[in-house]
Each structure stands twice: as C-alpha cells, then as structure tokens.
Amino acid sequence: MKKAVCIMSGGMDSTLCAVMAKRAGYDVVALHFDYGQRTMKREKRAFDEICERLGVVKKINLDVSFIAQIGGNSLTDKSLQIRKDGVSKDVPNTYVPFRNGVFISIAAALAEKEGAQAIYIGVVEEDSSGYPDCKESFIKSINEAINLGTSAEFSCQIITPLVNLSKADIVSKSLELNSPIELTWSCYESEDEACGLCDSCRLRLNGFKKANAVDKIPYKK
C-alpha cells in the first residue's frame, strides 16, 4: 500500500489534507510537532482525537522546542503580543521563521525512512496570513531539494491540495468529505475557548461565514 507522511497541526487545513490522503488511497503516517507554542497542549489533544477518528494507526509526535529557543515570533514568545485588530497585509509576528521549511525537512527524513511516496501539508497561499513559507513556489523548490538530497531509490512528492483554496472552500470541502472539523483547533492564544480575534480565528470564522456553515468549537468572542 502506498504511504504518505501527513504533517498535522490539529488545525482544519492539515486535517482535511489527511482525509484527502486517505481518500487517495494512502496509508497515513501522522506527524505532529511540539515547538513550545502557546496552544501546544490543545493542539496535541486535537491531533490525538483526529487521528483516532480517522483510524490513523501510526502517529509520531516530535519535540522541536529549539524553534522556541530561536524565538522571533509571538506564538512562542509571550513577551510579544498577538495582533487582534484584524488580518494584516504585512507578515504578522505570529510567523515562525521558516517553520514549514523545518517541518518539511523532518517529514522528508521520516518519509525516506518509511518509504513513503508523498508528504501532505496544508499550506494555504491564497487566503492566509501571508506567511512566506506557505507559497506554492517555495513548496516546489523544497520538493526539488528533498529529491536531490535523498537516496537515489527514494522519490517523494509534496502534495498541497489546499494551497490555492479560500478558507470558505476549505470549510465546504471539509463538510463535503466529512472531515472532523469540529475536533480541530486554530486559535493561536487560548486553549479552553478560542479567542475569536487572532489572525487564525478570524480567517477560520470568516471561512465558516462565507461557506454559510456553523463552527462548533467554543469562542470567547
């Protein structure tokens, strides 16, 4: 059976990617990262619950806390405030420098070890916070580098089925494919009730609104 490493944060985008990988006939190896983010425990809980719902047998949770040691972002540095006054056109301080590059590199090592043919990652370029490591051009380039830097017997494709979708499209597709969107967590700040004001919450809520759907997770505002 063909195999795919799915990078899963516990959010709705990566969860939908895992659902799509399974529907495409891949045996999913779920990969989650703890990097000292504010909502680390809540994201880990979402990851575990989602894997159980999807029947994913092999799941790996890695400690990459060196990302917090590097710092430079408000997700791991609580001395920095998370912006809550709307989605900015500039790259916000929630951007974790080269996070997806780090995650994909580790996923590539796992994929080579597992003999996987694909890496799924839920990057979104069209309707997102403008993170540079979510660009389709970046994914294409790092995919080429992976295949150059691994053994000749190994070849892997990074699959980004959501990269050109809007958040409304993602919500609609999640509902269509019965993705467990109600188990996912997107908030950057809170672990009990989503704040409803950070970039991630605003993008999620706007997606539900435009899709004429109801988000079932709890919100403070």
Side-chain angles (χ1 to χ4, degrees), residues 43-76:
E43 289 177 29
K44 175 62 164 52
R45 174 185 147 193
F47 169 70
D48 287 335
E49 291 176 350
I50 291 160
C51 285
E52 183 177 0
R53 176 73 64 85
L54 297 183
V56 173
V57 176
K58 186 154 193 175
K59 59 179 187 177
I60 298 170
N61 187 75
L62 294 181
D63 179 353
V64 288
S65 52
F66 64 85
I67 290 176
Q69 290 179 282
I70 293 171
N73 67 91
S74 61
L75 295 193
T76 61

Side-chain angles (χ1 to χ4, degrees), residues 66-201:
F66 64 85
I67 290 176
Q69 290 179 282
I70 293 171
N73 67 91
S74 61
L75 295 193
T76 61
D77 186 348
K78 292 186 178 180
S79 70
L80 299 175
Q81 284 194 333
I82 292 176
R83 182 172 180 166
K84 292 186 176 180
D85 57 353
V87 178
S88 171
K89 291 183 179 180
D90 301 321
V91 177
N93 67 4
T94 51
Y95 165 63
V96 180
F98 204 60
R99 179 180 60 181
N100 283 339
V102 173
F103 288 178
I104 291 169
S105 297
I106 294 171
L110 179 60
E112 185 172 19
K113 176 257 180 183
E114 290 285 333
Q117 295 79 31
I119 296 170
Y120 274 75
I121 183 170
V123 293
V124 179
E125 181 175 358
E126 294 301 310
D127 189 6
S128 66
S129 296
Y131 297 166
D133 58 355
C134 288
K135 291 180 180 178
E136 193 170 15
S137 56
F138 166 69
I139 299 297
K140 181 180 178 181
S141 294
I142 199 168
N143 199 164
E144 291 174 358
I146 286 168
N147 286 321
L148 285 171
T150 48
S151 61
E153 297 78 22
F154 175 74
S155 179
C156 189
Q157 180 185 5
I158 300 176
I159 300 177
T160 57
L162 314 184
V163 69
N164 293 314
L165 298 186
S166 69
K167 286 294 183 182
D169 292 333
I170 291 167
V171 170
S172 297
K173 182 64 73 173
S174 296
L175 296 172
E176 176 191 338
L177 300 183
N178 200 28
S179 179
I181 199 167
E182 73 281 359
L183 298 179
T184 64
W185 196 256
S186 302
C187 184
Y188 284 150
E189 187 171 61
S190 302
E191 294 193 300
D192 51 355
E193 294 179 314
C195 72
L197 296 173
C198 68
D199 265 15
S200 188
C201 280

